[in-house]
């Protein structure tokens, strides 16, 4: 199994792998190009995002700047919006549903490291150390709003029609229709379910 296959399947992998380094470098180059484009050049921005992201839906928008890790693990559905200064560390997949809003300065993390410091590194005979990493997918539903400054941790799933209050730290999954906030993020109340025509459209 290659290091890429290990990474994508959630196993511990070696990020020093040359193929993974090339993928990261490509993403960083595309990211830098995107962040430097004129805001009014919608065509160039769409072309770069389409090359950077795994999936870019119709009428999806991403404000500059944005920061990513690999890029190809980001899937942004139709009509969704990512505001400025967001960081999507997509070691694993980050899937964002349609008609969803991601506020400014949101951080989405997928990389996981061992809690035991002795298990967190490969120690080489020459005394150097390399970080052991594995990754867990993050999913965010449709018609959902992630408030500015929120942090979403690896493995979290946020349901449809949910709202995450600004500045929250989302450590566990949040169900459909929930309004949640805090550190750690907890459900405070509930939205009414989406109208039937929107649920049908989503399906």
């Amino acid at each position: 199994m290659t290091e890429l296959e290990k990474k994508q399947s959630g196993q511990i992998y070696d990020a020093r792998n040359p193929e993974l380094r090339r993928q990261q470098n490509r993403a960083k180059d595309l990211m830098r190009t995107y962040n430097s484009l004129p805001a009014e050049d919608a065509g160039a921005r769409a072309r770069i995002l389409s090359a950077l992201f795994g999936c870019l839906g119709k009428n999806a928008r991403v404000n500059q700047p944005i920061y990513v890790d690999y890029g190809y693990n980001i899937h942004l559905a139709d009509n969704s919006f990512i505001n400025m200064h967001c960081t999507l560390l997509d070691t694993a997949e980050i899937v964002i549903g349609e008609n969803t809003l991601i506020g400014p300065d949101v951080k989405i993390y997928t990389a996981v490291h061992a809690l035991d410091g002795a298990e967190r590194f490969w120690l080489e005979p020459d005394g150097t150390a390399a970080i052991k990493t594995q990754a867990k997918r993050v999913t965010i539903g449709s018609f959902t709003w992630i408030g500015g400054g929120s942090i979403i941790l690896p493995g979290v799933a946020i349901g449809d029609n949910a709202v995450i209050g600004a500045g929250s730290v989302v450590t566990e999954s949040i169900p459909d229709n929930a309004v949640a906030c805090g550190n750690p993020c907890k459900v405070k109340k509930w939205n009414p379910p989406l109208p039937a025509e929107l649920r049908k459209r989503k399906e």
Side-chain angles (χ1 to χ4, degrees):
M1 182 176 283
T2 67
E3 297 304 312
L4 173 59
E5 290 169 337
K6 292 177 186 177
K7 178 177 78 68
Q8 293 298 102
S9 63
Q11 299 182 49
I12 293 174
Y13 70 95
D14 188 346
R16 297 171 297 177
N17 175 262
E19 179 184 8
L20 296 182
R21 288 287 172 87
R22 283 193 296 272
Q23 292 176 351
Q24 280 191 314
N25 290 340
R26 174 185 180 274
K28 298 299 187 290
D29 288 343
L30 287 169
M31 180 184 73
R32 185 173 61 251
T33 298
Y34 182 78
N35 290 338
S36 66
L37 286 171
E40 68 272 14
D41 194 344
R45 290 174 61 183
R47 286 192 297 274
I48 296 297
L49 278 184
S50 294
L52 179 60
F53 284 7
C55 177
L56 182 68
K58 296 177 183 177
N59 197 42
R61 290 198 301 130
V62 178
N63 274 355
Q64 301 152 295
I66 187 169
Y67 305 99
V68 306
D69 205 357
Y70 289 89
Y72 58 72
N73 273 328
I74 299 170
H75 305 277
L76 183 63
D78 296 352
N79 303 315
S80 286
F81 172 62
I82 299 175
N83 212 330
M84 65 183 71
H85 288 288
C86 287
T87 300
L88 280 65
L89 296 186
D90 61 310
T91 305
E93 286 189 319
I94 297 173
V95 179
I96 300 170
E98 67 178 19
N99 298 87
T100 283
L101 307 178
I102 308 295
D105 298 299
V106 168
K107 318 295 183 190
I108 303 176
Y109 304 142
T110 63
V112 179
H113 309 290
L115 296 179
D116 183 346
E119 295 296 322
R120 205 174 297 145
F121 295 89
W122 282 291
L123 299 176
E124 304 294 353
D126 64 359
T128 60
I131 303 168
K132 294 179 180 179
T133 305
Q134 62 185 134
K136 296 182 179 180
R137 169 183 167 132
V138 169
T139 60
I140 299 172
S142 298
F143 296 90
T144 286
W145 176 20
I146 310 298
S150 295
I151 298 173
I152 301 173
L153 296 189
V156 163
I158 297 172
D160 296 335
N161 194 35
V163 176
I164 304 299
S168 295
V169 179
V170 188
T171 61
E172 297 180 349
S173 294
I174 301 294
D176 292 353
N177 307 313
V179 178
C181 63
N183 180 8
C185 188
K186 299 293 183 185
V187 176
K188 303 297 183 180
K189 59 182 182 178
W190 299 92
N191 280 323
L194 289 169
E197 62 270 21
L198 293 182
R199 292 200 303 274
K200 183 175 180 180
R201 173 184 162 187
K202 178 185 174 297
E203 292 166 1

